[in-house]
PDB file of all heavy atoms in Angstrom:
ATOM      1  N   GLY A   1      13.147  31.265  41.065  1.00  0.00           N
ATOM      2  CA  GLY A   1      12.780  32.617  40.703  1.00  0.00           C
ATOM      3  C   GLY A   1      11.300  32.898  40.564  1.00  0.00           C
ATOM      4  O   GLY A   1      10.914  34.008  40.193  1.00  0.00           O
ATOM      5  N   TRP A   2      10.442  31.922  40.852  1.00  0.00           N
ATOM      6  CA  TRP A   2       9.008  32.156  40.836  1.00  0.00           C
ATOM      7  C   TRP A   2       8.595  32.849  42.133  1.00  0.00           C
ATOM      8  O   TRP A   2       9.270  32.750  43.147  1.00  0.00           O
ATOM      9  CB  TRP A   2       8.236  30.846  40.721  1.00  0.00           C
ATOM     10  CG  TRP A   2       8.428  30.087  39.441  1.00  0.00           C
ATOM     11  CD1 TRP A   2       9.560  29.425  39.038  1.00  0.00           C
ATOM     12  CD2 TRP A   2       7.460  29.893  38.414  1.00  0.00           C
ATOM     13  NE1 TRP A   2       9.355  28.832  37.818  1.00  0.00           N
ATOM     14  CE2 TRP A   2       8.062  29.094  37.404  1.00  0.00           C
ATOM     15  CE3 TRP A   2       6.146  30.299  38.245  1.00  0.00           C
ATOM     16  CZ2 TRP A   2       7.390  28.720  36.253  1.00  0.00           C
ATOM     17  CZ3 TRP A   2       5.465  29.908  37.098  1.00  0.00           C
ATOM     18  CH2 TRP A   2       6.087  29.136  36.105  1.00  0.00           C
ATOM     19  N   THR A   3       7.462  33.546  42.109  1.00  0.00           N
ATOM     20  CA  THR A   3       6.850  34.034  43.342  1.00  0.00           C
ATOM     21  C   THR A   3       5.619  33.183  43.631  1.00  0.00           C
ATOM     22  O   THR A   3       5.073  32.523  42.746  1.00  0.00           O
ATOM     23  CB  THR A   3       6.454  35.519  43.251  1.00  0.00           C
ATOM     24  OG1 THR A   3       5.556  35.691  42.147  1.00  0.00           O
ATOM     25  CG2 THR A   3       7.678  36.381  43.052  1.00  0.00           C
ATOM     26  N   VAL A   4       5.184  33.212  44.889  1.00  0.00           N
ATOM     27  CA  VAL A   4       4.158  32.285  45.355  1.00  0.00           C
ATOM     28  C   VAL A   4       2.919  33.052  45.797  1.00  0.00           C
ATOM     29  O   VAL A   4       3.017  34.019  46.559  1.00  0.00           O
ATOM     30  CB  VAL A   4       4.690  31.431  46.526  1.00  0.00           C
ATOM     31  CG1 VAL A   4       3.644  30.421  46.963  1.00  0.00           C
ATOM     32  CG2 VAL A   4       5.979  30.731  46.136  1.00  0.00           C
ATOM     33  N   LEU A   5       1.763  32.612  45.320  1.00  0.00           N
ATOM     34  CA  LEU A   5       0.495  33.124  45.820  1.00  0.00           C
ATOM     35  C   LEU A   5       0.074  32.347  47.066  1.00  0.00           C
ATOM     36  O   LEU A   5      -0.407  32.912  48.029  1.00  0.00           O
ATOM     37  CB  LEU A   5      -0.590  33.029  44.751  1.00  0.00           C
ATOM     38  CG  LEU A   5      -0.545  34.054  43.607  1.00  0.00           C
ATOM     39  CD1 LEU A   5       0.607  33.770  42.630  1.00  0.00           C
ATOM     40  CD2 LEU A   5      -1.868  34.070  42.851  1.00  0.00           C
ATOM     41  N   SER A   6       0.241  31.031  47.021  1.00  0.00           N
ATOM     42  CA  SER A   6      -0.057  30.159  48.157  1.00  0.00           C
ATOM     43  C   SER A   6       0.422  28.767  47.804  1.00  0.00           C
ATOM     44  O   SER A   6       0.565  28.429  46.621  1.00  0.00           O
ATOM     45  CB  SER A   6      -1.556  30.132  48.463  1.00  0.00           C
ATOM     46  OG  SER A   6      -1.855  29.187  49.470  1.00  0.00           O
ATOM     47  N   ASP A   7       0.659  27.948  48.831  1.00  0.00           N
ATOM     48  CA  ASP A   7       1.027  26.563  48.554  1.00  0.00           C
ATOM     49  C   ASP A   7      -0.075  25.589  48.945  1.00  0.00           C
ATOM     50  O   ASP A   7       0.088  24.380  48.796  1.00  0.00           O
ATOM     51  CB  ASP A   7       2.328  26.191  49.272  1.00  0.00           C
ATOM     52  CG  ASP A   7       2.141  26.013  50.771  1.00  0.00           C
ATOM     53  OD1 ASP A   7       1.273  26.701  51.350  1.00  0.00           O
ATOM     54  OD2 ASP A   7       2.865  25.189  51.374  1.00  0.00           O
ATOM     55  N   ASP A   8      -1.240  26.103  49.448  1.00  0.00           N
ATOM     56  CA  ASP A   8      -2.238  25.164  49.958  1.00  0.00           C
ATOM     57  C   ASP A   8      -3.684  25.589  49.720  1.00  0.00           C
ATOM     58  O   ASP A   8      -4.545  24.745  49.570  1.00  0.00           O
ATOM     59  CB  ASP A   8      -2.018  24.946  51.451  1.00  0.00           C
ATOM     60  CG  ASP A   8      -2.765  23.751  51.993  1.00  0.00           C
ATOM     61  OD1 ASP A   8      -2.593  22.645  51.444  1.00  0.00           O
ATOM     62  OD2 ASP A   8      -3.531  23.906  52.957  1.00  0.00           O
ATOM     63  N   LEU A   9      -3.976  26.896  49.704  1.00  0.00           N
ATOM     64  CA  LEU A   9      -5.346  27.374  49.530  1.00  0.00           C
ATOM     65  C   LEU A   9      -5.357  28.544  48.559  1.00  0.00           C
ATOM     66  O   LEU A   9      -4.594  29.499  48.730  1.00  0.00           O
ATOM     67  CB  LEU A   9      -5.952  27.823  50.858  1.00  0.00           C
ATOM     68  CG  LEU A   9      -6.278  26.754  51.895  1.00  0.00           C
ATOM     69  CD1 LEU A   9      -6.680  27.407  53.212  1.00  0.00           C
ATOM     70  CD2 LEU A   9      -7.384  25.822  51.401  1.00  0.00           C
ATOM     71  N   VAL A  10      -6.220  28.478  47.550  1.00  0.00           N
ATOM     72  CA  VAL A  10      -6.353  29.570  46.588  1.00  0.00           C
ATOM     73  C   VAL A  10      -7.831  29.835  46.326  1.00  0.00           C
ATOM     74  O   VAL A  10      -8.689  28.959  46.500  1.00  0.00           O
ATOM     75  CB  VAL A  10      -5.643  29.259  45.253  1.00  0.00           C
ATOM     76  CG1 VAL A  10      -4.138  29.176  45.440  1.00  0.00           C
ATOM     77  CG2 VAL A  10      -6.175  27.974  44.627  1.00  0.00           C
ATOM     78  N   VAL A  11      -8.119  31.056  45.906  1.00  0.00           N
ATOM     79  CA  VAL A  11      -9.461  31.447  45.477  1.00  0.00           C
ATOM     80  C   VAL A  11      -9.418  31.668  43.975  1.00  0.00           C
ATOM     81  O   VAL A  11      -8.530  32.372  43.471  1.00  0.00           O
ATOM     82  CB  VAL A  11      -9.918  32.736  46.186  1.00  0.00           C
ATOM     83  CG1 VAL A  11     -11.309  33.138  45.705  1.00  0.00           C
ATOM     84  CG2 VAL A  11      -9.915  32.543  47.693  1.00  0.00           C
ATOM     85  N   VAL A  12     -10.358  31.078  43.244  1.00  0.00           N
ATOM     86  CA  VAL A  12     -10.443  31.301  41.800  1.00  0.00           C
ATOM     87  C   VAL A  12     -11.797  31.923  41.473  1.00  0.00           C
ATOM     88  O   VAL A  12     -12.793  31.702  42.170  1.00  0.00           O
ATOM     89  CB  VAL A  12     -10.250  29.990  40.998  1.00  0.00           C
ATOM     90  CG1 VAL A  12      -8.849  29.448  41.186  1.00  0.00           C
ATOM     91  CG2 VAL A  12     -11.290  28.951  41.382  1.00  0.00           C
ATOM     92  N   ARG A  13     -11.810  32.712  40.420  1.00  0.00           N
ATOM     93  CA  ARG A  13     -13.046  33.295  39.905  1.00  0.00           C
ATOM     94  C   ARG A  13     -12.851  33.593  38.434  1.00  0.00           C
ATOM     95  O   ARG A  13     -11.742  33.495  37.892  1.00  0.00           O
ATOM     96  CB  ARG A  13     -13.423  34.560  40.667  1.00  0.00           C
ATOM     97  CG  ARG A  13     -12.466  35.736  40.510  1.00  0.00           C
ATOM     98  CD  ARG A  13     -12.995  36.945  41.269  1.00  0.00           C
ATOM     99  NE  ARG A  13     -12.100  38.085  41.236  1.00  0.00           N
ATOM    100  CZ  ARG A  13     -12.130  39.056  40.314  1.00  0.00           C
ATOM    101  NH1 ARG A  13     -12.994  38.980  39.312  1.00  0.00           N
ATOM    102  NH2 ARG A  13     -11.288  40.067  40.378  1.00  0.00           N
ATOM    103  N   SER A  14     -13.922  33.976  37.785  1.00  0.00           N
ATOM    104  CA  SER A  14     -13.853  34.349  36.368  1.00  0.00           C
ATOM    105  C   SER A  14     -13.356  35.771  36.239  1.00  0.00           C
ATOM    106  O   SER A  14     -13.832  36.674  36.938  1.00  0.00           O
ATOM    107  CB  SER A  14     -15.228  34.210  35.717  1.00  0.00           C
ATOM    108  OG  SER A  14     -15.651  32.864  35.707  1.00  0.00           O
ATOM    109  N   GLY A  15     -12.394  35.979  35.335  1.00  0.00           N
ATOM    110  CA  GLY A  15     -11.891  37.304  35.025  1.00  0.00           C
ATOM    111  C   GLY A  15     -12.340  37.731  33.644  1.00  0.00           C
ATOM    112  O   GLY A  15     -13.036  36.991  32.938  1.00  0.00           O
ATOM    113  N   PRO A  16     -11.923  38.914  33.217  1.00  0.00           N
ATOM    114  CA  PRO A  16     -12.339  39.411  31.895  1.00  0.00           C
ATOM    115  C   PRO A  16     -11.922  38.507  30.744  1.00  0.00           C
ATOM    116  O   PRO A  16     -12.631  38.431  29.732  1.00  0.00           O
ATOM    117  CB  PRO A  16     -11.648  40.779  31.814  1.00  0.00           C
ATOM    118  CG  PRO A  16     -11.379  41.170  33.230  1.00  0.00           C
ATOM    119  CD  PRO A  16     -11.131  39.895  33.968  1.00  0.00           C
ATOM    120  N   ALA A  17     -10.781  37.828  30.885  1.00  0.00           N
ATOM    121  CA  ALA A  17     -10.283  37.002  29.785  1.00  0.00           C
ATOM    122  C   ALA A  17     -10.158  35.527  30.155  1.00  0.00           C
ATOM    123  O   ALA A  17      -9.547  34.755  29.426  1.00  0.00           O
ATOM    124  CB  ALA A  17      -8.919  37.533  29.328  1.00  0.00           C
ATOM    125  N   GLY A  18     -10.719  35.126  31.281  1.00  0.00           N
ATOM    126  CA  GLY A  18     -10.616  33.732  31.693  1.00  0.00           C
ATOM    127  C   GLY A  18     -10.429  33.617  33.192  1.00  0.00           C
ATOM    128  O   GLY A  18     -10.542  34.605  33.936  1.00  0.00           O
ATOM    129  N   PRO A  19     -10.116  32.412  33.691  1.00  0.00           N
ATOM    130  CA  PRO A  19      -9.992  32.198  35.130  1.00  0.00           C
ATOM    131  C   PRO A  19      -8.818  32.970  35.727  1.00  0.00           C
ATOM    132  O   PRO A  19      -7.738  33.046  35.138  1.00  0.00           O
ATOM    133  CB  PRO A  19      -9.754  30.683  35.247  1.00  0.00           C
ATOM    134  CG  PRO A  19     -10.250  30.115  33.966  1.00  0.00           C
ATOM    135  CD  PRO A  19      -9.981  31.149  32.932  1.00  0.00           C
ATOM    136  N   ILE A  20      -9.037  33.553  36.903  1.00  0.00           N
ATOM    137  CA  ILE A  20      -7.974  34.226  37.642  1.00  0.00           C
ATOM    138  C   ILE A  20      -7.918  33.652  39.047  1.00  0.00           C
ATOM    139  O   ILE A  20      -8.887  33.086  39.558  1.00  0.00           O
ATOM    140  CB  ILE A  20      -8.158  35.755  37.667  1.00  0.00           C
ATOM    141  CG1 ILE A  20      -9.500  36.156  38.290  1.00  0.00           C
ATOM    142  CG2 ILE A  20      -8.039  36.332  36.270  1.00  0.00           C
ATOM    143  CD1 ILE A  20      -9.702  37.663  38.410  1.00  0.00           C
ATOM    144  N   VAL A  21      -6.764  33.818  39.694  1.00  0.00           N
ATOM    145  CA  VAL A  21      -6.517  33.170  40.978  1.00  0.00           C
ATOM    146  C   VAL A  21      -5.858  34.144  41.945  1.00  0.00           C
ATOM    147  O   VAL A  21      -5.083  35.015  41.544  1.00  0.00           O
ATOM    148  CB  VAL A  21      -5.636  31.905  40.797  1.00  0.00           C
ATOM    149  CG1 VAL A  21      -4.257  32.265  40.241  1.00  0.00           C
ATOM    150  CG2 VAL A  21      -5.483  31.132  42.108  1.00  0.00           C
ATOM    151  N   SER A  22      -6.181  33.997  43.215  1.00  0.00           N
ATOM    152  CA  SER A  22      -5.554  34.747  44.301  1.00  0.00           C
ATOM    153  C   SER A  22      -5.262  33.760  45.426  1.00  0.00           C
ATOM    154  O   SER A  22      -5.981  32.775  45.598  1.00  0.00           O
ATOM    155  CB  SER A  22      -6.497  35.856  44.783  1.00  0.00           C
ATOM    156  OG  SER A  22      -5.942  36.558  45.877  1.00  0.00           O
ATOM    157  N   GLY A  23      -4.218  34.019  46.215  1.00  0.00           N
ATOM    158  CA  GLY A  23      -3.793  33.061  47.231  1.00  0.00           C
ATOM    159  C   GLY A  23      -4.248  33.406  48.633  1.00  0.00           C
ATOM    160  O   GLY A  23      -4.526  34.555  48.958  1.00  0.00           O
ATOM    161  N   ILE A  24      -4.329  32.364  49.472  1.00  0.00           N
ATOM    162  CA  ILE A  24      -4.483  32.519  50.922  1.00  0.00           C
ATOM    163  C   ILE A  24      -3.223  31.915  51.535  1.00  0.00           C
ATOM    164  O   ILE A  24      -3.158  30.717  51.813  1.00  0.00           O
ATOM    165  CB  ILE A  24      -5.742  31.804  51.437  1.00  0.00           C
ATOM    166  CG1 ILE A  24      -6.989  32.361  50.757  1.00  0.00           C
ATOM    167  CG2 ILE A  24      -5.861  31.955  52.956  1.00  0.00           C
ATOM    168  CD1 ILE A  24      -8.277  31.707  51.201  1.00  0.00           C
ATOM    169  N   PRO A  25      -2.180  32.711  51.706  1.00  0.00           N
ATOM    170  CA  PRO A  25      -0.899  32.144  52.151  1.00  0.00           C
ATOM    171  C   PRO A  25      -0.897  31.794  53.629  1.00  0.00           C
ATOM    172  O   PRO A  25      -1.462  32.502  54.459  1.00  0.00           O
ATOM    173  CB  PRO A  25       0.102  33.262  51.845  1.00  0.00           C
ATOM    174  CG  PRO A  25      -0.713  34.508  51.917  1.00  0.00           C
ATOM    175  CD  PRO A  25      -2.084  34.148  51.418  1.00  0.00           C
ATOM    176  N   LYS A  26      -0.275  30.675  53.937  1.00  0.00           N
ATOM    177  CA  LYS A  26       0.056  30.288  55.300  1.00  0.00           C
ATOM    178  C   LYS A  26       1.571  30.175  55.354  1.00  0.00           C
ATOM    179  O   LYS A  26       2.260  30.388  54.357  1.00  0.00           O
ATOM    180  CB  LYS A  26      -0.587  28.949  55.655  1.00  0.00           C
ATOM    181  CG  LYS A  26      -2.113  28.929  55.506  1.00  0.00           C
ATOM    182  CD  LYS A  26      -2.692  27.585  55.909  1.00  0.00           C
ATOM    183  CE  LYS A  26      -2.236  26.481  54.980  1.00  0.00           C
ATOM    184  NZ  LYS A  26      -2.834  25.175  55.330  1.00  0.00           N
ATOM    185  N   ALA A  27       2.107  29.850  56.523  1.00  0.00           N
ATOM    186  CA  ALA A  27       3.548  29.608  56.600  1.00  0.00           C
ATOM    187  C   ALA A  27       3.912  28.465  55.656  1.00  0.00           C
ATOM    188  O   ALA A  27       3.241  27.432  55.627  1.00  0.00           O
ATOM    189  CB  ALA A  27       3.945  29.257  58.030  1.00  0.00           C
ATOM    190  N   LEU A  28       4.952  28.673  54.854  1.00  0.00           N
ATOM    191  CA  LEU A  28       5.380  27.665  53.889  1.00  0.00           C
ATOM    192  C   LEU A  28       6.001  26.492  54.638  1.00  0.00           C
ATOM    193  O   LEU A  28       6.991  26.654  55.349  1.00  0.00           O
ATOM    194  CB  LEU A  28       6.385  28.274  52.911  1.00  0.00           C
ATOM    195  CG  LEU A  28       6.865  27.383  51.774  1.00  0.00           C
ATOM    196  CD1 LEU A  28       5.694  26.927  50.915  1.00  0.00           C
ATOM    197  CD2 LEU A  28       7.869  28.131  50.913  1.00  0.00           C
ATOM    198  N   ALA A  29       5.405  25.312  54.502  1.00  0.00           N
ATOM    199  CA  ALA A  29       5.865  24.121  55.223  1.00  0.00           C
ATOM    200  C   ALA A  29       6.176  23.012  54.230  1.00  0.00           C
ATOM    201  O   ALA A  29       5.382  22.734  53.328  1.00  0.00           O
ATOM    202  CB  ALA A  29       4.797  23.653  56.210  1.00  0.00           C
ATOM    203  N   VAL A  30       7.353  22.389  54.377  1.00  0.00           N
ATOM    204  CA  VAL A  30       7.774  21.317  53.480  1.00  0.00           C
ATOM    205  C   VAL A  30       8.308  20.154  54.307  1.00  0.00           C
ATOM    206  O   VAL A  30       8.728  20.335  55.459  1.00  0.00           O
ATOM    207  CB  VAL A  30       8.872  21.799  52.507  1.00  0.00           C
ATOM    208  CG1 VAL A  30       8.359  22.926  51.630  1.00  0.00           C
ATOM    209  CG2 VAL A  30      10.109  22.243  53.260  1.00  0.00           C
ATOM    210  N   PRO A  31       8.306  18.934  53.753  1.00  0.00           N
ATOM    211  CA  PRO A  31       8.857  17.794  54.482  1.00  0.00           C
ATOM    212  C   PRO A  31      10.327  18.014  54.837  1.00  0.00           C
ATOM    213  O   PRO A  31      11.102  18.549  54.042  1.00  0.00           O
ATOM    214  CB  PRO A  31       8.691  16.635  53.497  1.00  0.00           C
ATOM    215  CG  PRO A  31       7.556  17.047  52.609  1.00  0.00           C
ATOM    216  CD  PRO A  31       7.685  18.534  52.477  1.00  0.00           C
ATOM    217  N   ALA A  32      10.692  17.607  56.042  1.00  0.00           N
ATOM    218  CA  ALA A  32      12.056  17.827  56.514  1.00  0.00           C
ATOM    219  C   ALA A  32      13.091  17.161  55.623  1.00  0.00           C
ATOM    220  O   ALA A  32      14.182  17.698  55.417  1.00  0.00           O
ATOM    221  CB  ALA A  32      12.198  17.330  57.957  1.00  0.00           C
ATOM    222  N   ASP A  33      12.772  15.975  55.062  1.00  0.00           N
ATOM    223  CA  ASP A  33      13.779  15.282  54.254  1.00  0.00           C
ATOM    224  C   ASP A  33      14.052  15.992  52.932  1.00  0.00           C
ATOM    225  O   ASP A  33      15.092  15.789  52.310  1.00  0.00           O
ATOM    226  CB  ASP A  33      13.384  13.823  54.006  1.00  0.00           C
ATOM    227  CG  ASP A  33      12.024  13.665  53.334  1.00  0.00           C
ATOM    228  OD1 ASP A  33      11.390  14.700  53.023  1.00  0.00           O
ATOM    229  OD2 ASP A  33      11.594  12.519  53.122  1.00  0.00           O
ATOM    230  N   VAL A  34      13.137  16.880  52.495  1.00  0.00           N
ATOM    231  CA  VAL A  34      13.353  17.626  51.254  1.00  0.00           C
ATOM    232  C   VAL A  34      14.436  18.679  51.425  1.00  0.00           C
ATOM    233  O   VAL A  34      15.192  18.966  50.506  1.00  0.00           O
ATOM    234  CB  VAL A  34      12.030  18.266  50.784  1.00  0.00           C
ATOM    235  CG1 VAL A  34      12.272  19.229  49.629  1.00  0.00           C
ATOM    236  CG2 VAL A  34      11.040  17.183  50.374  1.00  0.00           C
ATOM    237  N   VAL A  35      14.526  19.267  52.636  1.00  0.00           N
ATOM    238  CA  VAL A  35      15.517  20.319  52.880  1.00  0.00           C
ATOM    239  C   VAL A  35      16.629  19.853  53.816  1.00  0.00           C
ATOM    240  O   VAL A  35      17.440  20.655  54.274  1.00  0.00           O
ATOM    241  CB  VAL A  35      14.847  21.580  53.453  1.00  0.00           C
ATOM    242  CG1 VAL A  35      13.967  22.231  52.404  1.00  0.00           C
ATOM    243  CG2 VAL A  35      14.042  21.271  54.689  1.00  0.00           C
TER     244      VAL A  35
END
């Protein structure tokens, strides 16, 4: 039930209350034996 910003590349910066993050999504790729 989680949503994904990215599984491999993210951008972080300082926000008003602390670190914030945004994703650079690519096609979601996982090892074949996992699925």
Side-chain angles (χ1 to χ4, degrees):
W2 295 70
T3 58
V4 183
L5 285 73
S6 174
D7 74 328
D8 194 54
L9 290 172
V10 294
V11 179
V12 295
R13 66 177 176 91
S14 295
I20 58 177
V21 63
S22 177
I24 301 180
K26 302 182 295 182
L28 184 59
V30 299
D33 57 2
V34 171
V35 292

